[in-house]
Each structure stands twice: as C-alpha cells, then as structure tokens.
C-alpha cells in the first residue's frame, strides 16, 4: 500500500510535465513544479525542527502553497492538521494546545497575535503564509531548496493527518487518519467516478475540510488529472471556466448558487461529464431542477471526517434524489440498533455503522472516546440514522447526535448553546437546524429569556467574535418557555417543526 508521499511521487514520475493546478488567471503549475515547491517546503520544515510524526498545523487562506504544505508535510513525515479559516483565536487556542504542533502556519496579518499565543501555550514555532507565496514561511524559499532532499520513511499505517470534528459535549475531537485511510479512498474514488488524466476538476472548495482537501486532491493525484484551483466559491468565474473543466465537486450551496444565475445553461455545462455533491444533504428539488436545466444528474455521496467517503450514487445507473447511493467497493455498511448494535432488517431505520480501509484509527489522545465509538467487531458508529431501500440505496434520515451541517460545515448545538446561555438575560437556549435552500441547513437559536429587552441583533452581535461565522445563528427566536418532556429534556423535534418554514 502506498502513502500520500509515494502516491504524489508516482504521479510526478508519470505526468511530470502535465498540469497539476491551473489558476484563474491562466497560470499553470505542473506536477514537476509542484514537486520542486514541496521539496523546498519540506526542507524548510526540517530546518525548523519538524521531525517524523510531528504535527504541522495551518490556518491560512486557500492558495497553491497552502495545498503544497499538505504534500510537503507528507514528504517530511509530519502529520497534517488543517484548521478552518473562520476559527477565532479562542477556538484556535484549543486545537493548538491539544495537538501541540511543532509548526503552526497562520496568515501574515495574524502572525503577531498568534505567535504570542503559541509562545504562551509553549509551541516552538509560528510562521506565516500568504496567498501569493508571501509570509515568513517562504522567505528565501526558492534559493534554499536542496537538490538532494530525501523524503522521510513512512508506512501505510503511519498517521498522515488529524482533522478536528466537534463533539456533542462541545469538546472537539481530533480524528486520526492514516496514509492507508487516505490513499485507499483516493484510489477507490478515482475508479468509481471514472477519473483519468484527461479530467479537469473545477475546484472551488476550501482545503481545510476533508472534501476539498482529501476527496479532491487525492483523487486527482491518483488519476494524474488537473485541478482548476479557485480561491473560493465564485459563480462568475466558475461559469467562465466550466468550458475548460470536465468535473466539479461541490456542496449543495454551489448548485443552488449556479441555478440562481440565469447564465448557467445547458450549453455552459455541455463540456462537463460529472457533478458531485456532498458534505450536506442535497434537496430533491435542487436535484430535479439541476437535471432539467443541464441534463446532468448530480451524483450525491456520503462521507465523514472520520471515514472519508463511505457511499456514492453510481456513475452508471440511477442517481436517486434523497439517496447517497451504495457502499463503495471494500467498504461495509450496516444499519444497526443504536443501543444493541444488532443489525436490522432491510428497510428499517437505525444507526449507520461502517467498516473498511477508509475508517480512521481513533481520536487523538482520547482512547476511551475511541473505544465508545467502535463496536467489538470493528464497525464505527457514525451517529447518523438511515435505512437501505429495496434496491440497496442508502438513505440518511437524521442524525442521532444533533449535528447541523450548514453549507458543508459541521455545527454542534452544544457549543453554540454554551455561549448563548452565558449571556445576561438568557435563561436557556436550544440550537436547531432548519431547512435552507442555499446552505442545506441553517443554524437557528430558540431562546428562553429573562429580560424582555433582549433583541435578536444584540444576541448575534454578542457572540460574533466567539464563534466562526458558519456556527452563528442566522435567526434567533424568543419563547416564554422551551418545550420539555417529563424528564425535563428540551424537545428539539418540536422546535424544528415549529420553525421549519423560517427560510421557506
């Protein structure tokens, strides 16, 4: 089994002169160019004291160099830790203190403040990286690139990355992913989705998330294909560049935004062979409208931070709206009783459990939590509820852990509720998901207040600097009492029903 570093090296050997990245301005970066740049970065990491197994954390804007940090980390034998660029300094402190990276890379404008944070919590090195190759990480980088750099010796079972995923208690957990987890999924997706070196992926996703980083990059490396690398979701640019692309990976927001633009027509999409959606539920209405507009059926798939991709609608065959398709080759999925773990008959709703080479090895420094999330036979308990229909398609019907997925990002209510409940005048809060055409789900707070002068605007403003924007409630509603059952537990299902039409 390969590692990410050997997968990259083989791609360079096979397709060195072929474009790996194409930028919006037409600049092309070949596989050989990418190899040279990652050699320089890996050598810099080693000079900064990074050793095999050390963590490299990054909180920087999307750019070719930010992606190359991921690949260079693999070459130097480090464990890559990408952090959402929307995180505040308060949130970053938890991740950095927990993961203790040997190197933390931030945006140039944040370097002074975050270097002080690193010093305070005992981290040895903080450098900056801008979107144009600027920042202290890259000072003199090209001149310093050695020709005799030797990659670290890493194996399939060695860690390649840690991605943090929130828990319902509010404490984030670091999912540990091995080289085997990432490589196996990249190779499987290449074959399942029919990627070849002739493909060009329109890439507008963030690269701090498993979707844009691992699903996209590793699949492209496995296929020796090309990415048109956009800084962010930009519909005009996407429309202009679609004639050069063959495939696109997006979250539902991408597809609703495209449909909202009258310039997006069947002719504009004519050169494309595949549109893929994930990270949040895609509504059946969007699925149908997209098909009518373009003639393309969006391929919806299902994955998690802890598992990479689990299921996918087929490349050939019906792509069923509301379904996430079949288990990928080599991946086992079962529907089980959440309490006992007993497998349920076809058609019944239960907990989705998964086993395969794609499944992570556990949570960073949380052996007891890891043990709780796995069955004795090795199946991982996803926390999602689902069923398998008579044709074998998997349908996700809910989430047992109250997870909200808004615009492809995970939001756990407990974290938001804890901040709201600290505000003067709030007795208690309940944070729920309600349907939203653009984001899939929107975060909504329902507040039981003590002070009648409280306003929605004041509450949102009070937590604006405490939470990443995607976690902040889009609406706040006031109630005299939160609904509860006989045991005093807040009835969120009732609230979701009451406020379901908020964004209709």
């Amino acid at each position: 089994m390969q590692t990410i570093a050997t997968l990259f090296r083989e791609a360079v050997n096979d397709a060195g002169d072929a474009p790996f990245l194409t930028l919006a301005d037409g600049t092309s970066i070949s596989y050989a160019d990418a190899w040279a740049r990652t050699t320089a970065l890996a050598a810099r990491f080693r000079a900064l004291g990074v050793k095999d197994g050390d963590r490299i954390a990054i909180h920087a804007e999307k750019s070719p160099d930010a992606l190359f940090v991921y690949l260079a980390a693999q070459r130097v034998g480090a464990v890559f830790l990408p952090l959402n660029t929307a995180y505040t300094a308060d949130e970053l402190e938890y991740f950095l203190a927990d993961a203790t990276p040997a190197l933390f890379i931030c945006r140039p404008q944040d370097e002074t403040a975050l270097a002080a944070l690193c010093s305070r919590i005992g981290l040895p090195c903080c450098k900056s990286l801008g979107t144009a190759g600027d920042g202290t990480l890259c000072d003199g980088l090209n001149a310093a690139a050695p020709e005799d750099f030797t990659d670290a010796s890493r194996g399939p079972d060695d860690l390649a990355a840690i991605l943090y995923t929130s828990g319902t208690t509010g404490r984030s957990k670091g999912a540990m992913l091995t080289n085997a987890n990432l490589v196996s999924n990249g190779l499987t997706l290449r074959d399942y989705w029919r990627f070849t070196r002739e493909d060009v992926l329109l890439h507008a996703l963030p690269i701090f998330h498993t979707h844009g980083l691992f699903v996209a990059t590793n699949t492209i490396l496995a296929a020796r294909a090309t990415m048109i690398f956009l800084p962010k979701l930009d519909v005009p640019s996407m429309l202009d560049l679609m004639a050069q692309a063959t495939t696109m990976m997006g979250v539902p927001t991408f597809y609703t935004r495209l449909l909202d633009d009258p310039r997006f027509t069947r002719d504009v999409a004519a050169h494309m062979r595949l549109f893929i959606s994930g990270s949040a539920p895609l509504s059946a209405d969007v699925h149908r409208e997209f098909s009518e507009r373009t003639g393309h059926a969006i391929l919806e798939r299902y994955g998690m931070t802890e598992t990479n991709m689990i299921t996918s609608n087929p490349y050939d065959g019906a792509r069923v709206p509301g379904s996430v398709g079949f288990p990928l080759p080599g991946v086992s999925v079962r529907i089980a009783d959440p309490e006992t773990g007993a497998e349920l008959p076809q058609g019944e709703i239960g907990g989705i459990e998964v086993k395969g080479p794609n499944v992570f090895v556990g949570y960073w420094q949380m052996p007891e939590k890891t043990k709780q999330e796995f069955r004795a036979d090795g199946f991982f308990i996803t926390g999602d509820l689902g069923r398998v229909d008579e044709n074998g398609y998997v349908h996700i019907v809910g989430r047992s852990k109250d997870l909200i997925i808004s615009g492809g990002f995970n939001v756990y209510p407990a974290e938001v509720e804890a901040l709201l409940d600290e505000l003067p005048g709030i007795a208690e809060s309940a944070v729920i998901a309600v349907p939203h055409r653009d984001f899939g789900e929107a975060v909504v707070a329902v507040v039981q207040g003590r002070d009648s002068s409280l306003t929605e605007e004041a509450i949102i403003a009070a937590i604006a600097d405490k939470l990443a924007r995607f976690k902040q409630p889009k609406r706040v509603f006031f109630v005299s009492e939160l609904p509860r059952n006989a045991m005093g537990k807040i009835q969120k299902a009732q609230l979701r029903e009451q406020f379901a039409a908020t964004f209709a």
Side-chain angles (χ1 to χ4, degrees), residues 25-162:
D25 64 3
T27 301
S28 181
I29 300 173
S30 71
Y31 276 87
D33 294 335
W35 183 261
R37 187 64 169 176
T38 59
T39 300
L41 283 165
R44 173 62 52 88
F45 296 159
R46 203 166 270 171
L48 291 171
V50 176
K51 304 183 297 297
D52 286 12
D54 282 346
R55 275 75 58 208
I56 294 177
I58 182 169
H59 181 255
E61 301 299 337
K62 181 179 179 182
S63 70
D65 274 335
L67 180 65
F68 296 156
V69 166
Y70 160 55
L71 297 172
Q74 305 309 310
R75 294 186 60 191
V76 82
V79 180
F80 186 66
L81 171 57
L83 295 166
N84 192 323
T85 52
Y87 284 145
T88 65
D90 286 349
E91 290 167 312
L92 288 174
E93 182 170 355
Y94 169 78
F95 300 122
L96 296 176
D98 190 58
T100 60
L103 171 63
F104 173 50
I105 302 165
C106 65
R107 295 174 289 210
Q109 65 268 31
D110 300 331
E111 186 170 10
T112 299
L114 292 179
L117 169 61
C118 289
S119 178
R120 179 162 57 81
I121 62 177
L123 300 186
C125 189
C126 177
K127 296 291 182 180
S128 62
L129 177 65
T131 58
D134 52 318
T136 54
L137 178 67
C138 295
D139 285 349
L141 193 63
N142 291 332
E147 295 183 1
D148 60 348
F149 180 85
T150 301
D151 287 8
S153 178
R154 300 284 279 176
D157 295 333
D158 288 321
L159 289 187
I162 295 174

Side-chain angles (χ1 to χ4, degrees), residues 329-352:
V331 179
S332 298
V333 173
R334 70 186 181 195
I335 306 299
D337 183 296
E339 298 300 322
T340 67
E343 190 164 1
L344 297 174
Q346 180 267 320
E348 289 196 21
I349 293 174
I352 299 175

